[in-house]
mmCIF file of all heavy atoms in Angstrom:
data_model
loop_
_atom_site.group_PDB
_atom_site.id
_atom_site.type_symbol
_atom_site.label_atom_id
_atom_site.label_comp_id
_atom_site.label_asym_id
_atom_site.label_seq_id
_atom_site.Cartn_x
_atom_site.Cartn_y
_atom_site.Cartn_z
ATOM 1 N N LEU A 1652 50.050 96.928 114.051
ATOM 2 C CA LEU A 1652 48.651 96.541 114.174
ATOM 3 C C LEU A 1652 47.879 97.735 114.680
ATOM 4 O O LEU A 1652 48.200 98.280 115.703
ATOM 5 C CB LEU A 1652 48.523 95.358 115.112
ATOM 6 C CG LEU A 1652 49.219 94.065 114.766
ATOM 7 C CD1 LEU A 1652 49.301 93.097 115.930
ATOM 8 C CD2 LEU A 1652 48.449 93.378 113.571
ATOM 9 N N VAL A 1653 46.800 98.047 113.959
ATOM 10 C CA VAL A 1653 45.989 99.224 114.308
ATOM 11 C C VAL A 1653 45.404 99.013 115.747
ATOM 12 O O VAL A 1653 45.448 99.887 116.541
ATOM 13 C CB VAL A 1653 44.864 99.497 113.291
ATOM 14 C CG1 VAL A 1653 43.926 100.528 113.858
ATOM 15 C CG2 VAL A 1653 45.427 99.895 112.040
ATOM 16 N N TYR A 1654 44.893 97.801 115.941
ATOM 17 C CA TYR A 1654 44.190 97.624 117.227
ATOM 18 C C TYR A 1654 45.154 97.798 118.407
ATOM 19 O O TYR A 1654 44.783 98.259 119.423
ATOM 20 C CB TYR A 1654 43.438 96.315 117.294
ATOM 21 C CG TYR A 1654 44.267 95.108 117.670
ATOM 22 C CD1 TYR A 1654 44.470 94.773 118.994
ATOM 23 C CD2 TYR A 1654 44.847 94.314 116.691
ATOM 24 C CE1 TYR A 1654 45.213 93.645 119.333
ATOM 25 C CE2 TYR A 1654 45.587 93.234 117.004
ATOM 26 C CZ TYR A 1654 45.811 92.907 118.323
ATOM 27 O OH TYR A 1654 46.613 91.862 118.682
ATOM 28 N N LYS A 1655 46.432 97.389 118.248
ATOM 29 C CA LYS A 1655 47.422 97.493 119.270
ATOM 30 C C LYS A 1655 47.625 99.039 119.616
ATOM 31 O O LYS A 1655 47.708 99.385 120.782
ATOM 32 C CB LYS A 1655 48.759 96.928 118.774
ATOM 33 C CG LYS A 1655 49.050 95.542 119.253
ATOM 34 C CD LYS A 1655 49.735 95.552 120.578
ATOM 35 C CE LYS A 1655 49.745 94.214 121.196
ATOM 36 N NZ LYS A 1655 49.568 94.227 122.639
ATOM 37 N N LEU A 1656 47.701 99.737 118.523
ATOM 38 C CA LEU A 1656 47.921 101.191 118.684
ATOM 39 C C LEU A 1656 46.789 101.770 119.520
ATOM 40 O O LEU A 1656 46.973 102.455 120.518
ATOM 41 C CB LEU A 1656 47.994 101.787 117.315
ATOM 42 C CG LEU A 1656 48.382 103.297 117.188
ATOM 43 C CD1 LEU A 1656 48.955 103.575 115.798
ATOM 44 C CD2 LEU A 1656 47.236 104.211 117.405
ATOM 45 N N VAL A 1657 45.540 101.512 119.076
ATOM 46 C CA VAL A 1657 44.414 102.075 119.726
ATOM 47 C C VAL A 1657 44.263 101.561 121.147
ATOM 48 O O VAL A 1657 44.004 102.306 122.073
ATOM 49 C CB VAL A 1657 43.110 101.791 118.922
ATOM 50 C CG1 VAL A 1657 41.910 102.325 119.625
ATOM 51 C CG2 VAL A 1657 43.248 102.359 117.491
ATOM 52 N N GLU A 1658 44.584 100.306 121.311
ATOM 53 C CA GLU A 1658 44.446 99.685 122.628
ATOM 54 C C GLU A 1658 45.465 100.415 123.637
ATOM 55 O O GLU A 1658 45.057 100.720 124.737
ATOM 56 C CB GLU A 1658 44.891 98.244 122.538
ATOM 57 C CG GLU A 1658 44.439 97.325 123.697
ATOM 58 C CD GLU A 1658 44.853 95.905 123.364
ATOM 59 O OE1 GLU A 1658 46.033 95.555 123.640
ATOM 60 O OE2 GLU A 1658 44.060 95.155 122.853
ATOM 61 N N GLU A 1659 46.660 100.587 123.153
ATOM 62 C CA GLU A 1659 47.666 101.151 124.083
ATOM 63 C C GLU A 1659 47.283 102.591 124.405
ATOM 64 O O GLU A 1659 47.474 103.065 125.554
ATOM 65 C CB GLU A 1659 49.061 101.139 123.436
ATOM 66 C CG GLU A 1659 49.797 99.874 123.805
ATOM 67 C CD GLU A 1659 51.317 99.969 123.635
ATOM 68 O OE1 GLU A 1659 51.937 101.089 123.869
ATOM 69 O OE2 GLU A 1659 51.871 98.971 123.199
ATOM 70 N N ILE A 1660 46.853 103.331 123.401
ATOM 71 C CA ILE A 1660 46.475 104.749 123.594
ATOM 72 C C ILE A 1660 45.279 104.773 124.637
ATOM 73 O O ILE A 1660 45.340 105.565 125.601
ATOM 74 C CB ILE A 1660 46.094 105.414 122.374
ATOM 75 C CG1 ILE A 1660 47.210 105.383 121.333
ATOM 76 C CG2 ILE A 1660 45.603 106.862 122.556
ATOM 77 C CD1 ILE A 1660 48.393 106.237 121.640
ATOM 78 N N SER A 1661 44.376 103.920 124.394
ATOM 79 C CA SER A 1661 43.187 103.903 125.317
ATOM 80 C C SER A 1661 43.618 103.540 126.760
ATOM 81 O O SER A 1661 43.257 104.168 127.712
ATOM 82 C CB SER A 1661 42.151 102.906 124.849
ATOM 83 O OG SER A 1661 41.776 103.196 123.540
ATOM 84 N N ASP A 1662 44.486 102.500 126.837
ATOM 85 C CA ASP A 1662 44.945 102.126 128.194
ATOM 86 C C ASP A 1662 45.618 103.250 128.875
ATOM 87 O O ASP A 1662 45.486 103.455 130.041
ATOM 88 C CB ASP A 1662 45.982 100.953 128.050
ATOM 89 C CG ASP A 1662 45.225 99.602 127.745
ATOM 90 O OD1 ASP A 1662 43.995 99.639 127.772
ATOM 91 O OD2 ASP A 1662 45.940 98.586 127.536
ATOM 92 N N ALA A 1663 46.500 103.879 128.050
ATOM 93 C CA ALA A 1663 47.276 105.000 128.689
ATOM 94 C C ALA A 1663 46.341 106.149 129.160
ATOM 95 O O ALA A 1663 46.541 106.677 130.177
ATOM 96 C CB ALA A 1663 48.302 105.562 127.705
ATOM 97 N N ILE A 1664 45.307 106.371 128.385
ATOM 98 C CA ILE A 1664 44.381 107.409 128.734
ATOM 99 C C ILE A 1664 43.589 106.982 129.955
ATOM 100 O O ILE A 1664 43.338 107.814 130.879
ATOM 101 C CB ILE A 1664 43.512 107.770 127.557
ATOM 102 C CG1 ILE A 1664 44.370 108.542 126.529
ATOM 103 C CG2 ILE A 1664 42.292 108.592 127.986
ATOM 104 C CD1 ILE A 1664 43.587 109.170 125.465
ATOM 105 N N VAL A 1665 43.192 105.780 129.996
ATOM 106 C CA VAL A 1665 42.526 105.245 131.240
ATOM 107 C C VAL A 1665 43.390 105.402 132.440
ATOM 108 O O VAL A 1665 42.976 105.919 133.488
ATOM 109 C CB VAL A 1665 42.145 103.728 131.090
ATOM 110 C CG1 VAL A 1665 41.576 103.194 132.393
ATOM 111 C CG2 VAL A 1665 41.127 103.561 129.956
ATOM 112 N N ALA A 1666 44.711 105.042 132.263
ATOM 113 C CA ALA A 1666 45.612 105.208 133.377
ATOM 114 C C ALA A 1666 45.756 106.660 133.837
ATOM 115 O O ALA A 1666 45.845 106.931 135.050
ATOM 116 C CB ALA A 1666 46.990 104.671 132.957
#
Side-chain angles (χ1 to χ4, degrees):
L1652 294 167
V1653 172
Y1654 83 86
K1655 263 269 166 220
L1656 186 157
V1657 177
E1658 197 178 85
E1659 269 199 37
I1660 301 291
S1661 305
D1662 283 355
I1664 288 188
V1665 171

